[in-house]
Amino acid sequence: MEHISQRVQSLAPSATLAMSQKSAELKAQGADMINMSVGEPDFNTPDHIKEAAHKAIDENYTRYSPVPGYMDLRKAISRKLKEENGVEYAPEQIVVSNGAKQALCNVILSTINPGDEVIIPVPAWVSYMEMVKLAEGKSVIVPATIEQDFKITPEQLRAAITPATRMLMLCSPSNPTGSVYSKQELQALVDVLVDYPDIMILSDEIYEHINFTGSFTSMASFPETAARTVIVNGVSKAYAMTGWRIGFCAAPLWLAKACTKLQGQYTSGPCSISQKAAEAAYNGSQECVHEMNRAFERRRNLIVELARQIPGWKVNDPQGAFYLFPEVSAYFGKQCLCGKTIETDADLAMYLLERAHVATVAGSAFCMAGYLRLSYATSDEKIREAFKRISAALAELK
Ligand code: PMP
Ligand code: GLU
């Protein structure tokens, strides 16, 4: 007998992971796939971080760690936050989890009651809305299209607030658009929130270091709202450590304690060996981070140039992360050679997957129909080849 809870039935599967899986299946059948769906650095984890993991095994860091993570790692994170971001979170305010994903989920499950509203500017990463759903909260989505560089205005924020608003979730640099809020733009949002002292701010800063603006402002650096701001970050993107599964939240003490209680009941502390590797990432040389950032910037320039040559695509000027989010609705209503009509972004993503063997993700997965997301965390050569194929496949649509 199959019996799946309504909670899990109501969840959408992760579209980013699903598209990547489809790409892997086609590849296993022999297709020459270019996977621009999932967002993960194509670099290997730097050697000094891997060596720290070997050492951790040899030194028998193989037992349960404290639930919120080793104190040495939490101290390293606390120092990083102070030195790099100018924000004060004591080690006791930091909870290390299985990736930024679990850190986000811990915060949402620890603060959101059924019916509480969470304001989410969209397009937004696929998992935010599903995590809010898990908590039985309500996502209030605030759309920001390409015309406003995918960033919400203070007026939009104010208009979305109701007595039930509990939290604002923000992601800058953004997945899926690459947009980065400037200090002034963040200040304008903070100015609105000053009038609503009960609203928490959850700032997802996982793409902090993949940023081509030359500066990064943490949402927690504004004194007016710092005490109710939670930062989520981790090593997955900055240090090419997606598989190690280490992320963290830095939160008010009461919330860090709640996240620890929750984590203690369903996962315990994250992998001991990965924690020692993450400690080396934060305490070691940051040159690897700068080097990867330079490579992503070069690829950003390349993909923007190629995408602007595709007839009908509208492309913004992404300033960070490793995603391009072109507006592609000019192709809706066109027919492919097989006679099928492309009606939605999901149809177009599927067409490019099957015809061009290029995996992308439909914008509607990020709550914004009419767009595609392409991850350019792949080689220059593959980006060039992908665009040759995309261009040829789109030219066939009549
Ligand atoms: N936040 C955003 C915006 C992301 O794109 C991702 C994807 N990895 C995460 C959080 C989760 O990161 P992690 O792999 O550390 O769980
Ligand atoms: N965050 C990445 C993405 O958006 C990784 C996949 C995931 O966890 O969703 O593609």
Side-chain angles (χ1 to χ4, degrees):
M1 191 221 31
E2 289 183 10
H3 176 84
I4 296 172
S5 68
Q6 284 174 0
R7 175 172 292 110
V8 170
Q9 280 187 48
S10 74
L11 282 186
S14 165
T16 46
L17 299 179
M19 209 54 184
S20 188
Q21 177 65 29
K22 275 206 184 89
S23 169
E25 279 164 20
L26 286 174
K27 192 169 179 185
Q29 290 164 20
D32 174 20
M33 297 302 301
I34 299 180
N35 187 358
M36 301 181 94
S37 61
V38 77
E40 78 173 333
D42 55 327
F43 300 109
N44 293 324
T45 302
D47 285 344
H48 70 282
I49 299 175
K50 292 196 281 197
E51 275 156 25
H54 286 295
K55 190 158 167 270
I57 295 175
D58 292 342
E59 291 180 354
N60 296 309
Y61 281 94
T62 52
R63 300 189 167 83
Y64 290 133
S65 74
V67 173
Y70 289 122
M71 191 37 102
D72 282 349
L73 174 57
R74 294 157 79 204
K75 281 185 182 157
I77 293 170
S78 172
R79 184 195 48 71
K80 169 251 180 298
L81 290 171
K82 192 175 165 72
E83 288 175 8
E84 289 187 354
N85 307 121
V87 299
E88 298 271 355
Y89 289 90
E92 293 71 24
Q93 293 177 263
I94 290 160
V95 180
V96 183
S97 301
N98 294 284
K101 212 174 217 174
Q102 188 187 12
L104 287 165
C105 209
N106 278 345
V107 171
I108 292 170
L109 288 174
S110 298
T111 51
I112 300 304
N113 276 324
D116 283 351
E117 293 181 0
V118 179
I119 297 179
I120 306 180
V122 299
W125 181 44
V126 293
S127 295
Y128 292 168
M129 287 68 73
E130 300 308 313
M131 288 176 185
V132 172
K133 210 189 271 176
L134 256 190
E136 297 177 51
K138 184 178 164 210
S139 295
V140 175
I141 60 170
V142 180
T145 61
I146 195 164
E147 282 72 29
Q148 56 191 92
D149 194 23
F150 303 113
K151 293 187 259 190
I152 62 161
T153 62
E155 293 74 26
Q156 284 183 293
L157 173 59
R158 196 178 287 278
I161 294 172
T162 76
T165 308
R166 184 82 187 97
M167 181 180 278
L168 164 69
M169 282 181 86
L170 212 60
C171 180
S172 172
S174 155
N175 176 4
T177 66
S179 293
V180 180
Y181 284 82
S182 68
K183 187 172 183 185
Q184 291 72 16
E185 287 164 339
L186 292 177
Q187 179 71 61
L189 300 180
V190 166
D191 289 346
V192 173
L193 294 166
V194 165
D195 295 339
Y196 302 93
D198 294 334
I199 300 181
M200 302 279 307
I201 304 162
L202 176 49
S203 179
D204 183 343
E205 303 185 355
I206 190 91
Y207 294 100
E208 167 190 6
H209 286 297
I210 304 167
N211 180 346
F212 322 126
T213 65
S215 77
F216 172 75
T217 305
S218 169
M219 188 61 176
S221 64
F222 297 91
E224 305 92 309
T225 46
R228 50 187 162 114
T229 304
V230 184
I231 294 179
V232 166
N233 201 335
V235 292
S236 298
K237 315 286 170 168
Y239 301 94
M241 292 177 70
T242 46
W244 299 74
R245 309 308 303 130
I246 296 291
F248 67 84
C249 75
L253 191 58
W254 58 267
L255 180 50
K257 282 185 181 163
C259 291
T260 303
K261 180 164 77 167
L262 177 62
Q263 183 160 297
Q265 288 294 15
Y266 82 111
T267 58
S268 305
C271 171
S272 54
I273 299 149
S274 297
Q275 286 191 62
K276 295 310 280 180
E279 190 186 319
Y282 285 121
N283 287 341
S285 162
Q286 300 301 299
E287 184 43 36
C288 54
V289 175
H290 305 312
E291 207 176 298
M292 288 188 264
N293 192 48
R294 285 193 287 274
F296 285 128
E297 184 170 9
R298 197 186 59 239
R299 294 166 181 182
R300 186 277 311 260
N301 295 343
L302 175 64
I303 198 169
V304 166
E305 184 195 322
L306 294 171
R308 290 214 165 111
Q309 290 167 23
I310 303 274
W313 278 21
K314 279 193 225 155
V315 177
N316 74 328
D317 194 12
Q319 297 292 321
F322 35 60
Y323 305 107
L324 188 73
F325 202 67
E327 205 276 350
V328 297
S329 63
Y331 288 87
F332 296 175
K334 296 199 176 196
Q335 259 188 3
C336 59
L337 294 178
C338 67
K340 195 173 170 286
T341 304
I342 305 289
E343 273 158 9
T344 62
D345 49 21
D347 290 346
L348 194 62
M350 203 45 76
Y351 173 69
L352 292 178
L353 183 80
E354 286 165 359
R355 185 70 187 158
H357 288 163
V358 177
T360 61
V361 186
S364 44
F366 306 93
C367 282
M368 183 137 307
Y371 294 79
L372 289 180
R373 189 191 77 171
L374 292 85
S375 161
Y376 55 86
T378 187
S379 68
D380 298 28
E381 194 190 352
K382 281 195 178 150
I383 295 171
R384 283 185 203 284
E385 173 61 22
F387 271 82
K388 264 191 214 150
R389 296 188 197 175
I390 290 173
S391 177
L394 292 178
E396 283 178 13
L397 295 174
K398 297 289 173 235

